[in-house]
Amino acid sequence: MISFMIHVVVSLFAVSNPIGNVPLFITLTEGYSEKERSQTAKKAIVVSFIILIAFLLAGRLIFKLFGIDIHALRIAGGIFIFGIAYNLLNAKESHVQNPHSEEKEESKEKADVSVTPLAIPIIAGPGTIATVMSLTPGSEGMLHMLAILIGIVIVLAMTYYAFHYSSFIMRKMGKTEMNVVTRLMGLILAVVAVEMIGAGLKGMFRVFMS
């Protein structure tokens, strides 16, 4: 269970990329006081937690309703996440996980950016949701479900502290250092994506062979 939990934390941390999203958080909360930034980060984390837990608990039900096979989801999710990883490896923003420039400008004019675009799509974006649903246990049961839950809490806690201390992080890290972190997250995420695709293909071949 411990090794699986570490896998969950690494996967979710890589896809959500809290450190890489610090400059975006600073931009979206420009003009906010430290207290307002902390409150915004806290609300974004709570909303993200609700979204991810909903997909964790209802994942199997969603599969049944839409007739989705878990192995097919792992393959599709792996391909999807590899696209995000490719952009990160090139130190580019993924338009799937980050808002477009128009959305950024629009969000600056809003009083509350905690739900959109912070919670959705920056923290609990399609990539993070796909990762959670792909990790959702089949026959492994409640222990794996608990491991995913704990992993979500750990990553969201790290995201909160990254945002809470965003000003300090930006002072200490320059553009080059941020790009190094982004590329490292991209490499980890690419490995996770390949592993997901491999597990999905293995499961699909078993189904075809049975």
Side-chain angles (χ1 to χ4, degrees):
M1 179 179 167
I2 299 297
S3 61
F4 178 70
M5 190 188 303
I6 293 170
H7 174 69
V8 172
V9 171
V10 170
S11 301
L12 290 177
F13 188 87
V15 74
S16 60
N17 192 18
I19 303 298
N21 284 327
V22 165
L24 188 53
F25 177 77
I26 290 283
T27 302
L28 291 172
T29 57
E30 189 178 353
Y32 284 35
S33 65
E34 289 300 317
K35 184 180 179 181
E36 287 171 333
R37 273 186 175 157
S38 180
Q39 289 173 340
T40 300
K42 194 178 295 182
K43 185 176 177 182
I45 294 301
V46 170
V47 173
S48 300
F49 177 78
I50 293 170
I51 293 168
L52 295 178
I53 294 303
F55 276 97
L56 173 63
L57 297 178
R60 291 178 67 81
L61 178 61
I62 293 170
F63 297 155
K64 288 179 182 177
L65 283 174
F66 293 96
I68 300 171
D69 184 83
I70 181 64
H71 306 304
L73 178 73
R74 281 176 178 147
I75 295 169
I79 295 169
F80 182 75
I81 291 167
F82 190 85
I84 298 173
Y86 179 80
N87 282 325
L88 293 177
L89 281 167
N90 289 283
K92 295 178 182 177
E93 288 185 353
S94 168
H95 293 306
V96 172
Q97 198 75 1
N98 290 291
H100 294 273
S101 57
E102 294 86 354
E103 292 173 313
K104 290 179 186 177
E105 289 301 318
E106 185 181 325
S107 64
K108 288 179 186 177
E109 299 171 6
K110 295 179 181 177
D112 186 3
V113 297
S114 57
V115 177
T116 304
L118 279 179
I120 309 168
I122 294 173
I123 303 173
T128 315
I129 291 170
T131 304
V132 168
M133 291 186 70
S134 298
L135 291 168
T136 301
S139 59
E140 295 88 349
M142 293 304 296
L143 277 180
H144 272 213
M145 189 77 83
L146 180 62
I148 297 171
L149 173 62
I150 294 171
I152 289 172
V153 171
I154 291 172
V155 172
L156 288 181
M158 289 191 287
T159 303
Y160 169 74
Y161 283 109
F163 287 172
H164 182 73
Y165 294 105
S166 55
S167 300
F168 174 79
I169 292 171
M170 286 300 291
R171 283 197 300 270
K172 294 295 180 182
M173 295 180 70
K175 181 67 174 175
T176 303
E177 288 81 1
M178 295 296 286
N179 284 343
V180 168
V181 172
T182 299
R183 285 192 168 97
L184 179 60
M185 291 300 101
L187 179 61
I188 294 171
L189 197 56
V191 173
V192 170
V194 170
E195 189 178 72
M196 285 172 62
I197 294 169
L201 289 171
K202 188 177 178 182
M204 289 283 275
F205 278 122
R206 268 193 210 146
V207 172
F208 292 143
M209 294 296 289
S210 60

